[in-house]
Amino acid sequence: MAIQFNIPPKSIAKLRPFNFRVPEKELVEFQDLLKLSKIGAPTWWNQQNDPQFGVSREWLIKAKETWLTNFDWRKHEESINKFPNFKIAIQGPEIGEIDIHFAALFSTKDDAIPIIFMHGFPSAFTDFLPMMDILAKKYTPETLPYHVIVPSLPDYGLSGTRSQNIEMTLERSACIMNQLMVDLGFEDGYVAQGGDLGSLIARIMSAEYEECRAFHLNMLILDPGETTPSYDVLSPEEIQILKRSEKWQATGLAYALEHGTRPSTAGLAISSSPLALLAWIGEKLMEWTDPRKPLSLDHILGLVSFYWFTDTFARSLYHATAYQRFLANAPPSISKEKPLGYSLFQHDLVILPQAWAQEIYPNLTFFNSHTNGGHFASLEQAEELLEDVEIFVEKVSSSFKK
């Protein structure tokens, strides 16, 4: 049953309600292509079942069989269409008009605080559906303290693309996301939240747009150019987490280098086959989570299917330009004045310990460390992340009072 939430009367935008359904013809074509997709020959590496080499051949064989015989795409569609979905035409400098998709829970409360939740890679707006489900059960439109906006980022998922005639960048994406919130009637202020790519866009929004009053991140790292604070202030546990992070940076970042330096080749090759896409994305979805609570194969197949049916992968690689910028000592801008909230999930790929975050960011208003959860916090620990965001928003709510 679809959840009903009203559109705020302040919205000046022309919203188009949207329902996502893949045509049956495309599902049949996908099944045919998947059946014919070849799995590479056995090698020493792909028979080791060792994450340091990537996905194993055995895993890919079993995942393909499940995809063909025991996977229900329509069930994943239903979970998407359960929530109010919209599209809106956004005008941005240099890019012209672009269609942006978002799911939303709008409040009827006059003092509801707008929050935009932004996903990362390899993710989609669907990462936040568990959180939206919690909110829909906890509140009604009359009691919901927030307007919850969950977009498909530009060039991702159900949002449009301009990448065939202009390169999408972090700054352009941030501009579009800010304009989305303004066009929805939230020019008086909003909170930006994100992890991974979403965190980079949120930090740019905090620095560049006054409408962004506060921002909450579940990925924060030591930027190049920042003086490394003392290790003496860290606990043994924090040092161990940093060592694990350093190991991943030394062994697991090859994908970003390929994306950032050869986006055309990577995009065309990996998006040419369902199995190629599954191996490439599946590796990240398995490796980047808390190993004690991995994502289900059904979820992995659902997200990869979403990427396939929306032609996301080849157009979404602008996230990798961030890696090039960090290498060049030019990280995305970030505000050190506006209130910042940071939720650290200890099995994330990169972290910034609390003492370091407090030293670098005098505007750190909220911090919480979680022993459970990894890179995909909104999926792995939806309740915990939501609780953190709600506490942070309560702390900064006074800045939204008129």
Side-chain angles (χ1 to χ4, degrees), residues 317-352:
L317 301 185
Y318 67 92
H319 69 271
T321 60
Y323 179 55
Q324 304 302 316
R325 292 175 58 166
F326 279 105
L327 290 178
N329 280 352
S333 54
I334 183 171
S335 173
K336 291 191 177 182
E337 290 80 37
K338 293 178 181 177
L340 164 64
Y342 174 37
S343 296
L344 187 161
F345 291 85
Q346 292 186 7
H347 284 270
D348 203 349
L349 305 176
V350 288
I351 66 153
L352 193 66

Coordinates of all heavy atoms in Angstrom, one line a residue, residues 317-352:
L317 N 30.1 8.3 -13.1 CA 31.5 8.2 -12.6 C 32.1 9.5 -12.1 O 33.3 9.5 -11.8 CB 32.3 7.5 -13.6 CG 31.9 6.1 -14.1 CD1 32.9 5.4 -15.0 CD2 31.7 5.2 -12.8
Y318 N 31.3 10.6 -12.1 CA 32.0 11.8 -11.7 C 32.3 11.8 -10.2 O 33.1 12.6 -9.7 CB 31.1 13.0 -11.9 CG 29.8 13.1 -11.2 CD1 29.7 13.8 -10.0 CD2 28.6 12.5 -11.7 CE1 28.5 13.9 -9.3 CE2 27.4 12.6 -11.0 CZ 27.3 13.3 -9.8 OH 26.1 13.4 -9.1
H319 N 31.8 10.8 -9.5 CA 32.3 10.6 -8.1 C 33.8 10.4 -8.0 O 34.4 10.8 -7.0 CB 31.5 9.5 -7.4 CG 32.0 8.1 -7.9 ND1 31.3 7.5 -9.0 CD2 32.9 7.3 -7.5 CE1 31.9 6.4 -9.2 NE2 32.9 6.2 -8.3
A320 N 34.4 9.8 -9.0 CA 35.8 9.5 -8.9 C 36.7 10.7 -9.1 O 37.9 10.6 -8.8 CB 36.1 8.4 -10.0
T321 N 36.1 11.8 -9.6 CA 37.0 13.0 -9.7 C 37.4 13.5 -8.4 O 38.4 14.2 -8.2 CB 36.2 14.1 -10.5 OG1 35.0 14.4 -9.7 CG2 35.8 13.7 -11.9
A322 N 36.6 13.1 -7.3 CA 37.0 13.5 -6.0 C 38.3 12.9 -5.6 O 39.1 13.5 -4.9 CB 35.9 13.1 -5.0
Y323 N 38.5 11.7 -6.0 CA 39.8 11.0 -5.7 C 41.0 11.7 -6.3 O 42.0 11.9 -5.7 CB 39.7 9.6 -6.2 CG 41.0 8.7 -6.0 CD1 41.5 8.6 -4.7 CD2 41.6 8.1 -7.0 CE1 42.7 7.9 -4.5 CE2 42.8 7.4 -6.8 CZ 43.3 7.3 -5.6 OH 44.4 6.5 -5.3
Q324 N 40.8 12.2 -7.6 CA 41.8 12.9 -8.2 C 42.1 14.3 -7.5 O 43.3 14.7 -7.4 CB 41.4 13.2 -9.7 CG 41.1 12.0 -10.5 CD 42.2 11.0 -10.6 OE1 43.4 11.4 -10.8 NE2 41.9 9.8 -10.4
R325 N 41.0 14.9 -7.0 CA 41.2 16.1 -6.3 C 41.9 15.9 -5.0 O 42.8 16.8 -4.6 CB 39.8 16.8 -6.1 CG 39.2 17.2 -7.4 CD 37.8 17.8 -7.2 NE 37.8 18.9 -6.3 CZ 36.8 19.7 -6.1 NH1 35.7 19.5 -6.9 NH2 36.8 20.7 -5.3
F326 N 41.6 14.8 -4.3 CA 42.4 14.6 -3.0 C 43.8 14.3 -3.3 O 44.7 14.8 -2.6 CB 41.7 13.4 -2.3 CG 40.5 13.7 -1.5 CD1 39.3 13.4 -2.0 CD2 40.6 14.4 -0.3 CE1 38.1 13.7 -1.2 CE2 39.5 14.8 0.4 CZ 38.2 14.4 0.0
L327 N 44.1 13.6 -4.4 CA 45.5 13.4 -4.8 C 46.2 14.7 -5.1 O 47.4 14.9 -4.9 CB 45.6 12.5 -6.0 CG 45.2 11.0 -5.7 CD1 45.3 10.2 -7.1 CD2 46.2 10.4 -4.7
A328 N 45.5 15.7 -5.6 CA 46.0 17.0 -6.0 C 46.0 18.0 -4.9 O 46.2 19.2 -5.1 CB 45.3 17.5 -7.2
N329 N 45.7 17.5 -3.7 CA 45.6 18.4 -2.5 C 44.5 19.5 -2.7 O 44.7 20.7 -2.3 CB 46.9 19.1 -2.2 CG 47.8 18.1 -1.4 OD1 47.4 17.1 -1.0 ND2 49.1 18.5 -1.2
A330 N 43.4 19.2 -3.4 CA 42.4 20.1 -3.6 C 41.0 19.5 -3.3 O 40.2 19.3 -4.1 CB 42.4 20.6 -5.1
P331 N 40.8 19.2 -2.0 CA 39.5 18.5 -1.6 C 38.4 19.4 -1.8 O 38.5 20.7 -1.8 CB 39.7 18.1 -0.2 CG 40.7 19.2 0.3 CD 41.6 19.4 -0.8
P332 N 37.1 18.9 -1.9 CA 36.0 19.8 -2.0 C 35.9 20.7 -0.8 O 36.3 20.3 0.3 CB 34.8 18.8 -2.0 CG 35.4 17.5 -2.5 CD 36.8 17.5 -2.0
S333 N 35.3 21.9 -1.0 CA 35.2 22.8 0.1 C 34.3 22.3 1.2 O 33.4 21.5 0.9 CB 34.7 24.2 -0.5 OG 33.5 24.0 -1.2
I334 N 34.4 22.9 2.4 CA 33.6 22.5 3.5 C 33.5 23.7 4.5 O 34.5 24.4 4.7 CB 34.1 21.2 4.2 CG1 33.2 20.8 5.4 CG2 35.6 21.4 4.7 CD1 33.6 19.4 5.9
S335 N 32.4 23.9 5.1 CA 32.3 25.0 6.0 C 32.8 24.6 7.4 O 32.6 23.5 7.9 CB 30.8 25.3 6.2 OG 30.6 26.3 7.3
K336 N 33.5 25.5 8.0 CA 34.0 25.3 9.4 C 33.2 26.3 10.3 O 33.7 26.5 11.5 CB 35.5 25.5 9.5 CG 36.3 24.4 8.8 CD 37.8 24.5 9.1 CE 38.5 23.3 8.5 NZ 39.9 23.3 8.8
E337 N 32.1 26.9 9.8 CA 31.3 27.8 10.6 C 29.9 27.2 10.9 O 29.4 27.2 12.0 CB 31.2 29.1 10.0 CG 32.5 29.9 9.9 CD 33.4 29.5 8.8 OE1 32.9 29.1 7.7 OE2 34.6 29.5 9.1
K338 N 29.3 26.6 9.9 CA 27.9 26.1 10.0 C 28.0 24.8 10.9 O 29.0 24.0 10.8 CB 27.3 25.8 8.7 CG 27.1 27.1 7.9 CD 26.5 26.8 6.5 CE 26.3 28.0 5.7 NZ 25.8 27.8 4.3
P339 N 26.9 24.5 11.6 CA 26.9 23.3 12.5 C 27.1 22.1 11.7 O 26.5 21.8 10.6 CB 25.5 23.4 13.1 CG 25.1 24.8 13.0 CD 25.7 25.4 11.8
L340 N 28.0 21.2 12.2 CA 28.3 20.0 11.5 C 28.0 18.8 12.5 O 28.4 18.8 13.7 CB 29.8 19.9 11.2 CG 30.5 18.6 10.9 CD1 29.9 18.0 9.6 CD2 32.0 18.7 10.7
G341 N 27.4 17.8 12.0 CA 27.2 16.6 12.7 C 27.9 15.4 12.0 O 28.0 15.4 10.8
Y342 N 28.5 14.5 12.8 CA 29.3 13.4 12.2 C 29.0 12.1 13.0 O 29.1 12.0 14.2 CB 30.8 13.8 12.3 CG 31.7 12.7 11.9 CD1 31.4 11.8 10.8 CD2 32.9 12.5 12.6 CE1 32.3 10.8 10.4 CE2 33.8 11.5 12.2 CZ 33.5 10.6 11.1 OH 34.3 9.6 10.7
S343 N 28.5 11.2 12.2 CA 28.3 9.8 12.7 C 29.3 8.9 12.2 O 29.4 8.7 11.0 CB 26.9 9.3 12.3 OG 25.9 10.1 12.9
L344 N 30.1 8.3 13.0 CA 31.2 7.5 12.6 C 30.8 6.0 12.8 O 30.4 5.6 13.9 CB 32.5 7.8 13.5 CG 33.8 7.1 13.1 CD1 35.0 7.8 13.8 CD2 33.9 5.6 13.6
F345 N 30.8 5.3 11.7 CA 30.5 3.8 11.8 C 31.8 3.1 11.6 O 32.5 3.3 10.6 CB 29.5 3.5 10.7 CG 28.1 4.0 11.0 CD1 27.8 5.3 10.6 CD2 27.2 3.3 11.7 CE1 26.6 5.9 10.9 CE2 25.9 3.8 12.0 CZ 25.6 5.1 11.6
Q346 N 32.2 2.3 12.6 CA 33.6 1.9 12.7 C 34.1 1.0 11.6 O 35.3 0.8 11.5 CB 33.8 1.2 14.1 CG 33.6 2.2 15.2 CD 34.0 1.6 16.6 OE1 34.4 0.5 16.7 NE2 33.7 2.3 17.6
H347 N 33.2 0.4 10.8 CA 33.6 -0.4 9.7 C 33.5 0.3 8.4 O 33.5 -0.3 7.3 CB 32.9 -1.7 9.7 CG 33.3 -2.7 10.7 ND1 34.3 -3.6 10.5 CD2 32.9 -2.9 12.0 CE1 34.5 -4.3 11.6 NE2 33.6 -3.9 12.5
D348 N 33.4 1.6 8.4 CA 33.5 2.4 7.2 C 34.9 2.3 6.6 O 35.9 1.9 7.3 CB 33.1 3.9 7.5 CG 32.6 4.6 6.2 OD1 32.7 4.0 5.1 OD2 32.1 5.7 6.3
L349 N 35.0 2.7 5.4 CA 36.3 2.6 4.7 C 37.3 3.6 5.2 O 38.5 3.3 5.4 CB 36.1 2.9 3.2 CG 35.1 2.0 2.5 CD1 34.9 2.4 1.1 CD2 35.5 0.5 2.6
V350 N 36.9 4.8 5.5 CA 37.8 5.9 6.0 C 37.0 6.6 7.2 O 35.8 6.7 7.1 CB 38.2 6.9 5.0 CG1 39.2 6.3 4.0 CG2 37.0 7.4 4.2
I351 N 37.7 7.0 8.2 CA 37.1 7.7 9.3 C 38.0 8.8 9.8 O 39.1 9.0 9.4 CB 36.9 6.7 10.5 CG1 38.3 6.3 11.1 CG2 36.1 5.5 10.1 CD1 38.3 5.9 12.5
L352 N 37.4 9.7 10.6 CA 38.1 10.8 11.3 C 37.7 10.6 12.8 O 36.6 10.8 13.2 CB 37.6 12.1 10.8 CG 38.5 13.3 11.2 CD1 39.9 13.2 10.5 CD2 37.9 14.6 10.8

